[in-house]
Amino acid sequence: MSKQGTMDLTIGRPLKQILLFSLPLVLGTLFQQLYSFVDTVMVGQLIGSDALAAVGTSYSLNFLTLGFVQGACVGFGILLAQAVGAKDSGFYPV
């Protein structure tokens, strides 16, 4: 790790670097799934079947929104990675 808080992923064992890089993504996905599960259980137990049906219906909209945001982040990540590789500091804050 350098003094700027960045980490060079080209140094070290590739599998370890990939796993360390993907860990926050996996944890974020697990917490999102846990949130959905707890939400479904609480609504089903506390409010009733009509509210549970509404939660189930809104799942596809939630999935669409999250998919769009994650896709946009991946797309912008490519542009950012290219700018960092080209050392173009006009694209990102130093």
Side-chain angles (χ1 to χ4, degrees), residues 6 19 42 50 55 67 88:
T6 59
L19 290 176
M42 289 181 66
D50 289 341
V55 169
D88 179 13

Side-chain angles (χ1 to χ4, degrees), residues 4 11-12 16 21-22 26 31 40 42 44 47 55 63 66 71 80 84-86 90-91 93:
Q4 293 179 351
I11 298 173
K16 180 181 176 187
F21 181 75
S22 66
V26 171
F31 279 120
T40 301
M42 289 181 66
I47 300 176
V55 169
F63 182 75
L66 287 173
L80 181 64
V84 169
F91 187 77

Side-chain angles (χ1 to χ4, degrees), residues 14-16 18 21-23 27 44 46 48 53 57-58 60 69 74 76:
L15 182 60
K16 180 181 176 187
I18 291 171
F21 181 75
S22 66
L23 189 61
L27 289 176
L46 300 175
T57 303
S58 68
S60 59
V69 170
V74 168
F76 286 123

